[in-house]
Amino acid sequence: MTSQRSSLILFLDDSGHPAPSHSSGAIVIGGCAVASEAVPVLSRRITGAKGRLFPSRGHPASWEIKATDTIRPNPQRIRRNRELVQEILKIIGGLKCTAYTASIDKSRMLHHMSLKTTMPLLMQALVEHFAVECRSAAATGIIVMDRSSHSLDTHASHSVASYTSTKKLPMHPTVYYADSATSPAIQVADIITGVRRRAIEGDSAMQDLDNDLAGLRPTSLGRRRTHGGRLWRNRIVVL
Protein backbone atom coordinates (compact mmCIF):
# COMPACT_ATOMS: atom_id res chain seq x y z
CA MET A 1 0.00 0.00 0.00
CA THR A 2 1.40 3.42 -0.97
CA SER A 3 1.40 6.28 1.53
CA GLN A 4 -1.03 9.11 0.93
CA ARG A 5 0.61 12.23 -0.51
CA SER A 6 -0.06 15.42 1.45
CA SER A 7 -1.31 18.61 -0.18
CA LEU A 8 -0.68 22.33 0.07
CA ILE A 9 -3.47 24.73 -0.80
CA LEU A 10 -2.68 28.21 -2.09
CA PHE A 11 -5.64 30.52 -1.49
CA LEU A 12 -5.55 33.56 -3.78
CA ASP A 13 -7.24 36.88 -4.37
CA ASP A 14 -6.43 39.83 -6.62
CA SER A 15 -6.18 43.59 -6.24
CA GLY A 16 -5.86 46.38 -8.79
CA HIS A 17 -6.63 46.70 -12.50
CA PRO A 18 -4.31 47.35 -15.46
CA ALA A 19 -6.56 49.96 -17.10
CA PRO A 20 -4.88 53.41 -17.16
CA SER A 21 -8.12 54.98 -15.91
CA HIS A 22 -8.23 52.76 -12.83
CA SER A 23 -7.03 54.35 -9.60
CA SER A 24 -4.73 51.45 -8.71
CA GLY A 25 -1.00 51.80 -9.32
CA ALA A 26 -0.30 48.08 -9.29
CA ILE A 27 -1.89 44.73 -10.07
CA VAL A 28 -1.36 41.98 -7.52
CA ILE A 29 -2.44 38.39 -7.13
CA GLY A 30 -1.50 36.78 -3.85
CA GLY A 31 -2.51 34.89 -0.77
CA CYS A 32 -1.32 32.18 1.57
CA ALA A 33 -0.26 28.57 1.16
CA VAL A 34 -1.35 26.28 3.96
CA ALA A 35 -1.26 22.53 4.54
CA SER A 36 -4.68 21.10 3.70
CA GLU A 37 -5.09 19.57 7.16
CA ALA A 38 -4.58 23.03 8.74
CA VAL A 39 -7.34 24.75 6.73
CA PRO A 40 -10.12 24.02 9.29
CA VAL A 41 -7.93 25.41 12.07
CA LEU A 42 -7.17 28.52 10.01
CA SER A 43 -10.87 29.07 9.37
CA ARG A 44 -11.82 28.65 13.02
CA ARG A 45 -9.11 31.01 14.25
CA ILE A 46 -9.90 33.74 11.72
CA THR A 47 -13.61 33.47 12.48
CA GLY A 48 -12.85 33.60 16.21
CA ALA A 49 -10.74 36.74 15.79
CA LYS A 50 -13.54 38.43 13.85
CA GLY A 51 -16.09 37.60 16.54
CA ARG A 52 -13.85 38.70 19.39
CA LEU A 53 -12.79 42.03 17.89
CA PHE A 54 -16.08 42.98 16.23
CA PRO A 55 -18.87 41.51 18.40
CA SER A 56 -21.37 44.16 17.30
CA ARG A 57 -21.22 43.08 13.64
CA GLY A 58 -23.16 39.90 14.29
CA HIS A 59 -22.11 36.34 13.67
CA PRO A 60 -18.54 36.43 12.27
CA ALA A 61 -19.43 34.01 9.49
CA SER A 62 -22.05 36.46 8.21
CA TRP A 63 -19.54 39.12 7.09
CA GLU A 64 -16.17 39.04 5.39
CA ILE A 65 -12.88 40.79 5.97
CA LYS A 66 -12.19 43.23 3.13
CA ALA A 67 -8.86 44.96 2.64
CA THR A 68 -10.57 48.17 1.56
CA ASP A 69 -12.33 48.37 4.94
CA THR A 70 -9.49 47.03 7.08
CA ILE A 71 -6.21 48.55 5.94
CA ARG A 72 -7.84 51.85 5.00
CA PRO A 73 -10.09 51.93 8.02
CA ASN A 74 -12.81 54.11 9.34
CA PRO A 75 -11.06 56.21 12.04
CA GLN A 76 -13.61 54.99 14.60
CA ARG A 77 -12.43 51.39 14.04
CA ILE A 78 -8.73 51.96 13.42
CA ARG A 79 -7.50 50.26 16.63
CA ARG A 80 -9.59 47.14 16.14
CA ASN A 81 -8.65 46.94 12.47
CA ARG A 82 -4.98 47.05 13.38
CA GLU A 83 -5.54 44.36 15.97
CA LEU A 84 -7.34 42.22 13.40
CA VAL A 85 -4.49 42.52 10.90
CA GLN A 86 -1.94 41.67 13.58
CA GLU A 87 -4.05 38.69 14.66
CA ILE A 88 -4.19 37.48 11.05
CA LEU A 89 -0.41 37.77 10.84
CA LYS A 90 -0.06 35.80 14.08
CA ILE A 91 -2.49 33.09 12.98
CA ILE A 92 -0.97 32.40 9.57
CA GLY A 93 2.54 32.59 11.01
CA GLY A 94 1.62 30.09 13.72
CA LEU A 95 0.27 27.68 11.12
CA LYS A 96 3.48 28.02 9.08
CA CYS A 97 1.66 29.46 6.09
CA THR A 98 3.65 31.00 3.25
CA ALA A 99 2.47 34.41 2.03
CA TYR A 100 2.80 34.67 -1.76
CA THR A 101 2.36 37.70 -4.01
CA ALA A 102 3.04 38.31 -7.70
CA SER A 103 2.83 41.91 -8.83
CA ILE A 104 3.01 44.31 -11.75
CA ASP A 105 3.86 47.96 -11.13
CA LYS A 106 1.76 49.84 -13.67
CA SER A 107 4.40 52.56 -14.02
CA ARG A 108 6.72 49.92 -15.53
CA MET A 109 4.31 48.74 -18.21
CA LEU A 110 5.61 49.61 -21.68
CA HIS A 111 2.20 49.24 -23.34
CA HIS A 112 -1.44 48.88 -22.41
CA MET A 113 -2.33 45.57 -20.79
CA SER A 114 -5.69 43.99 -20.03
CA LEU A 115 -6.72 41.58 -17.29
CA LYS A 116 -6.59 38.77 -19.84
CA THR A 117 -2.91 39.61 -20.31
CA THR A 118 -1.89 40.25 -16.71
CA MET A 119 -3.85 37.32 -15.23
CA PRO A 120 -1.82 34.50 -16.86
CA LEU A 121 1.48 36.33 -16.29
CA LEU A 122 0.83 36.64 -12.57
CA MET A 123 -0.71 33.19 -12.18
CA GLN A 124 2.15 31.44 -13.96
CA ALA A 125 4.70 33.31 -11.83
CA LEU A 126 2.92 32.16 -8.69
CA VAL A 127 2.66 28.58 -9.93
CA GLU A 128 6.36 28.49 -10.85
CA HIS A 129 7.43 29.43 -7.32
CA PHE A 130 4.66 27.64 -5.41
CA ALA A 131 5.68 24.42 -7.17
CA VAL A 132 9.11 24.65 -5.51
CA GLU A 133 7.50 24.59 -2.06
CA CYS A 134 5.23 21.72 -3.08
CA ARG A 135 8.13 19.65 -4.36
CA SER A 136 10.21 20.37 -1.26
CA ALA A 137 7.34 19.27 0.99
CA ALA A 138 6.57 16.21 -1.17
CA ALA A 139 3.07 17.63 -1.48
CA THR A 140 0.56 18.15 -4.26
CA GLY A 141 -0.31 21.80 -4.85
CA ILE A 142 -3.88 23.03 -5.16
CA ILE A 143 -4.92 26.57 -6.08
CA VAL A 144 -8.19 28.00 -4.77
CA MET A 145 -9.09 31.52 -5.88
CA ASP A 146 -11.83 34.03 -5.23
CA ARG A 147 -14.29 33.78 -8.09
CA SER A 148 -14.82 36.72 -10.43
CA SER A 149 -16.36 36.69 -13.90
CA HIS A 150 -16.88 33.41 -15.71
CA SER A 151 -14.63 34.33 -18.65
CA LEU A 152 -11.72 35.48 -16.47
CA ASP A 153 -12.00 32.44 -14.21
CA THR A 154 -11.95 30.14 -17.22
CA HIS A 155 -8.99 32.02 -18.70
CA ALA A 156 -6.99 31.75 -15.47
CA SER A 157 -7.77 28.05 -15.10
CA HIS A 158 -6.75 27.32 -18.68
CA SER A 159 -3.46 29.17 -18.26
CA VAL A 160 -2.62 27.22 -15.10
CA ALA A 161 -3.69 23.93 -16.66
CA SER A 162 -1.47 24.32 -19.71
CA TYR A 163 1.48 25.57 -17.62
CA THR A 164 1.42 22.85 -14.96
CA SER A 165 0.90 20.09 -17.52
CA THR A 166 3.66 21.29 -19.85
CA LYS A 167 6.17 21.73 -17.02
CA LYS A 168 5.02 18.55 -15.21
CA LEU A 169 4.65 20.40 -11.92
CA PRO A 170 3.40 18.64 -8.74
CA MET A 171 0.07 20.43 -8.79
CA HIS A 172 -3.55 20.01 -9.77
CA PRO A 173 -3.73 21.27 -13.38
CA THR A 174 -6.59 23.67 -12.76
CA VAL A 175 -7.80 26.49 -10.52
CA TYR A 176 -10.66 25.90 -8.11
CA TYR A 177 -12.96 28.79 -7.21
CA ALA A 178 -14.65 29.75 -3.96
CA ASP A 179 -16.73 32.61 -2.64
CA SER A 180 -14.71 34.93 -0.43
CA ALA A 181 -17.78 35.55 1.74
CA THR A 182 -17.63 31.95 2.96
CA SER A 183 -13.87 31.40 2.91
CA PRO A 184 -11.79 32.93 5.73
CA ALA A 185 -8.63 31.81 3.89
CA ILE A 186 -9.53 33.90 0.84
CA GLN A 187 -10.33 36.82 3.14
CA VAL A 188 -6.76 36.50 4.42
CA ALA A 189 -5.57 36.51 0.79
CA ASP A 190 -7.48 39.74 0.22
CA ILE A 191 -5.55 41.39 3.07
CA ILE A 192 -2.21 40.12 1.73
CA THR A 193 -2.85 41.41 -1.79
CA GLY A 194 -4.24 44.71 -0.54
CA VAL A 195 -1.19 45.36 1.63
CA ARG A 196 1.21 44.46 -1.18
CA ARG A 197 -0.55 46.66 -3.71
CA ARG A 198 -0.55 49.70 -1.43
CA ALA A 199 3.10 49.15 -0.53
CA ILE A 200 4.00 49.20 -4.23
CA GLU A 201 1.90 52.33 -4.67
CA GLY A 202 4.05 54.04 -2.04
CA ASP A 203 1.87 53.88 1.07
CA SER A 204 4.55 54.14 3.77
CA ALA A 205 2.13 52.86 6.42
CA MET A 206 2.03 49.49 4.60
CA GLN A 207 5.78 48.94 4.12
CA ASP A 208 6.53 47.25 7.44
CA LEU A 209 3.44 45.05 7.25
CA ASP A 210 4.27 44.09 3.67
CA ASN A 211 7.76 43.05 4.81
CA ASP A 212 6.31 41.11 7.76
CA LEU A 213 4.05 39.18 5.39
CA ALA A 214 6.90 38.50 2.96
CA GLY A 215 8.80 37.08 5.92
CA LEU A 216 6.25 34.27 6.26
CA ARG A 217 8.19 31.72 4.24
CA PRO A 218 10.16 28.50 4.72
CA THR A 219 13.77 29.54 5.25
CA SER A 220 14.92 26.25 3.73
CA LEU A 221 13.73 27.36 0.29
CA GLY A 222 15.89 30.47 0.12
CA ARG A 223 18.45 28.97 -2.29
CA ARG A 224 16.14 26.62 -4.20
CA ARG A 225 15.50 27.31 -7.86
CA THR A 226 12.36 27.00 -9.94
CA HIS A 227 12.12 24.79 -13.01
CA GLY A 228 13.01 27.93 -15.00
CA GLY A 229 16.25 28.40 -13.07
CA ARG A 230 15.11 31.38 -11.01
CA LEU A 231 15.72 31.63 -7.29
CA TRP A 232 12.60 30.80 -5.32
CA ARG A 233 10.68 33.80 -4.07
CA ASN A 234 7.37 34.26 -2.30
CA ARG A 235 7.27 38.00 -3.15
CA ILE A 236 7.52 37.91 -6.92
CA VAL A 237 7.94 41.03 -9.04
CA VAL A 238 6.77 40.32 -12.59
CA LEU A 239 7.15 43.93 -13.77
Side-chain angles (χ1 to χ4, degrees):
M1 180 181 294
T2 58
S3 60
Q4 185 176 7
R5 187 179 175 92
S6 62
S7 58
L8 286 172
I9 304 179
L10 178 57
F11 292 93
L12 296 174
D13 202 353
D14 66 289
S15 183
H17 195 288
S21 58
H22 194 271
S23 60
S24 58
I27 311 106
V28 181
I29 298 177
C32 63
V34 57
S36 58
E37 61 269 22
V39 173
V41 179
L42 173 65
S43 296
R44 287 195 299 270
R45 290 181 181 176
I46 294 296
T47 301
K50 290 163 65 177
R52 185 174 67 258
L53 292 170
F54 296 92
S56 64
R57 294 190 65 176
H59 195 284
S62 68
W63 57 275
E64 63 179 299
I65 301 168
K66 300 291 289 184
T68 51
D69 300 327
T70 307
I71 63 176
R72 285 185 173 175
N74 181 316
Q76 294 179 341
R77 295 206 311 256
I78 191 168
R79 180 183 59 80
R80 284 182 296 171
N81 280 323
R82 285 176 176 170
E83 289 176 355
L84 179 59
V85 171
Q86 288 303 314
E87 187 66 16
I88 289 171
L89 190 64
K90 179 181 176 182
I91 290 168
I92 60 178
L95 292 174
K96 301 188 183 305
C97 299
T98 303
Y100 281 93
T101 58
S103 61
I104 293 174
D105 185 333
K106 287 168 64 173
S107 68
R108 297 180 180 178
M109 295 193 310
L110 299 179
H111 54 80
H112 175 68
M113 301 176 80
S114 67
L115 283 174
K116 285 202 170 184
T117 305
T118 59
M119 176 73 76
L121 284 176
L122 295 172
M123 291 296 289
Q124 288 176 11
L126 286 164
V127 166
E128 178 180 353
H129 291 264
F130 178 48
V132 174
E133 183 175 1
C134 293
R135 186 169 284 114
S136 175
T140 300
I142 301 171
I143 292 179
V144 178
M145 192 168 185
D146 186 23
R147 64 185 182 186
S148 56
S149 71
H150 175 72
S151 60
L152 272 178
D153 292 348
T154 301
H155 187 58
S157 197
H158 282 168
S159 69
V160 169
S162 61
Y163 193 74
T164 55
S165 298
T166 301
K167 307 300 181 183
K168 299 180 180 178
L169 301 179
M171 297 178 60
H172 283 210
T174 189
V175 178
Y176 299 97
Y177 291 92
D179 189 333
S180 61
T182 59
S183 173
I186 290 180
Q187 293 171 36
V188 170
D190 185 45
I191 293 294
I192 293 170
T193 56
V195 168
R196 180 64 181 145
R197 177 187 141 194
R198 286 164 180 78
I200 295 170
E201 292 171 344
D203 186 342
S204 59
M206 293 292 107
Q207 298 295 335
D208 286 345
L209 181 56
D210 183 44
N211 289 332
D212 287 342
L213 287 166
L216 297 178
R217 48 180 279 169
T219 56
S220 61
L221 299 184
R223 303 306 299 175
R224 297 287 181 98
R225 291 190 177 271
T226 70
H227 66 271
R230 284 172 279 272
L231 282 172
W232 176 85
R233 295 284 185 268
N234 61 321
R235 184 162 67 182
I236 309 152
V237 177
V238 175
L239 282 177

